[in-house]
Amino acid sequence: MADTIISNHGSSEKGANPLPANSVIVVLGASGDLAKKKTFPALFGLYRYDLLPKNVKIVGYARSKIEEDDYKKRISAYIKVLDDKVKKQLEEFLSFNTYVSGQYDKDESFQVLTKHIEELEAGATEPHRLFYMALPPNVFTVVAQHLKRNSYPKNGGARIIIEKPFGHDLASSRELQTSLEPIWAEDEIFRIDHYLGKEMVKNILILRFGNEFLGASWNKNHISSVQITFKEPFGTEGRGGYFDQFGIIRDVMQNHLLQVLTMIAMERPVSFSAEDIRDEKVRVLRAMPIIDPKNVIIGQYDKSDDGTKPSYLDDETVPKDSRCATFAAIVTYIKNDRWDGVPFVLKAGKALDGAKVEVRVQFKDVTSGIFKDIPRNELVIRIQPSEAVYLKMNTKLPGLTTKTSVTELDLTYKNRFKDLHIPEAYESLILDAINGDHSNFVRDDELDASWKIFTPLLHYLDENTDIIPAKYPYGSRGPAFLDDFLASYGYVREQNGLYNWPHTSANGKL
Ligand code: BG6
């Protein structure tokens, strides 16, 4: 783009250490859903942009015995082949993918895997291996132990990518951590929270610290509240078995939304290095008191108003008397000079009225006097879908009038950055792990601090069987009292919901 001034402020992690040529990437749980939907499409994306190490080999490992052809079909299932060029690239990509089946708890199986890896490394003296654990939590530790014992190169090095859930409360997270600690060093572990790989989440620090006017107003003197919202338009629909053990708070709030909150609230890091960024994130978390149940509402979706969509309890994989929350709104505070008294509202739900993840920073009222009633400024950072940043602001309505109107400064990515590719979160994170850059991964003390904030609330909800989530219709905004709840923390809803962004014409088109 000719008119874009580009300067590069990438992480400069000390000791960042890219995987060398001839490395081997092993995807454990290669026949599962995560691998099929996210890991392999991301690896292929990196291959297309020539970002994998030269002469890399990728090995899938899982329990199922699958023929190589079926395996390759499986890992390509979610890769979009748009034209002949991509078709050819996919063939090339598949040519260096192989599969080994084996158990997760048997040394012999891992020895077979290691032998296969060594053959691919063809006598390399300092082999490097990246293990991606696309695995259910119950086999996490056992696989990490077996890998270290059987598949860790004697010279050279290894790194391991792990995915949530990292436990279900503070104690179980610490247990997991203690079981990994003696075998994998912290700098070998890459804990994924895929929200940290999303383009707009990675933009938050640039927006805040690269724009003086935003930096200057980013505090309790000017900001009234911050809301971080996650909406999904679908329920669990037959896949509630896993969800029911976790609920919405553990599923997306303690991790994804809290990560976004720390980026919004942290102080300016000394540099963009991984440790400087993560030090500041941990500092914010440590300034957050545990959540007071008085500042929480929970809900569970019911049938849609027209009866066509099922309730959560209609899902056959969910216990009939489940009290699991599929919606929650949680108000948290940060006890530091910058934020004391400002409510940070985390709001998340399944089976709501749309698909959206956004941060809404609502500013305080302007001084009254010359204005009788003028709406507040809001800065909205839309993480997905359709990345955008817009600032709702007041302007004089043009013409022979003194009326004001709400308008917006609008940075919609698809309009402003038409030709640029927005990578998938997993592409970006796997690339960071390949490059040895920890900036966008969760550090052990960060995980601990986040569980400390949420665990008392989670135990309170688990133990008090008389707390029943409020029902809300499938496809609605959430429980009926949500707006009153938000208003009680000073949030003024956009002109009672009348303001719409982006503006649409009568036929709904932009
Ligand atoms: C996952 C949750 O971590 O994040 C899912 O387990 C949720 O329940 C998903 O649907 C949302 O991710 P994304 O990238 O689609 O917003």
Side-chain angles (χ1 to χ4, degrees), residues 414-463:
K414 69 175 184 321
N415 299 335
R416 183 64 179 82
F417 301 120
K418 282 197 183 73
D419 312 328
L420 295 182
H421 162 70
I422 297 187
E424 283 296 319
Y426 279 86
E427 279 175 16
S428 160
L429 292 174
I430 295 175
L431 181 62
D432 283 349
I434 286 174
N435 287 334
D437 178 354
H438 279 86
S439 320
N440 294 307
F441 294 87
V442 185
R443 203 167 66 186
D444 50 357
D445 54 343
E446 196 180 342
L447 188 59
D448 211 69
S450 67
W451 276 120
K452 271 189 193 152
I453 302 165
F454 276 85
T455 296
L457 170 71
L458 290 164
H459 286 176
Y460 175 83
L461 295 175
D462 289 345
E463 285 153 19

Side-chain angles (χ1 to χ4, degrees), residues 63 113 115 150 176 197 214 234 289 320 443-444 458 502 508:
R63 281 178 298 205
L113 171 67
K115 192 158 172 292
N150 301 291
L176 174 68
L214 270 186
F234 40 82
K320 286 292 154 247
R443 203 167 66 186
D444 50 357
L458 290 164

Side-chain angles (χ1 to χ4, degrees), residues 38 164 194-195 198 230 232 234 242-243 248 251-252 255-256 350 357 384 425-426:
K38 301 287 183 190
K164 82 171 184 51
H194 78 282
Y195 267 57
K198 291 190 187 269
F230 168 103
E232 274 183 349
F234 40 82
Y242 167 85
F243 184 84
I248 196 78
D251 192 38
V252 301
N255 32 59
H256 306 330
K350 299 229 171 224
V357 179
Q384 65 190 40
Y426 279 86

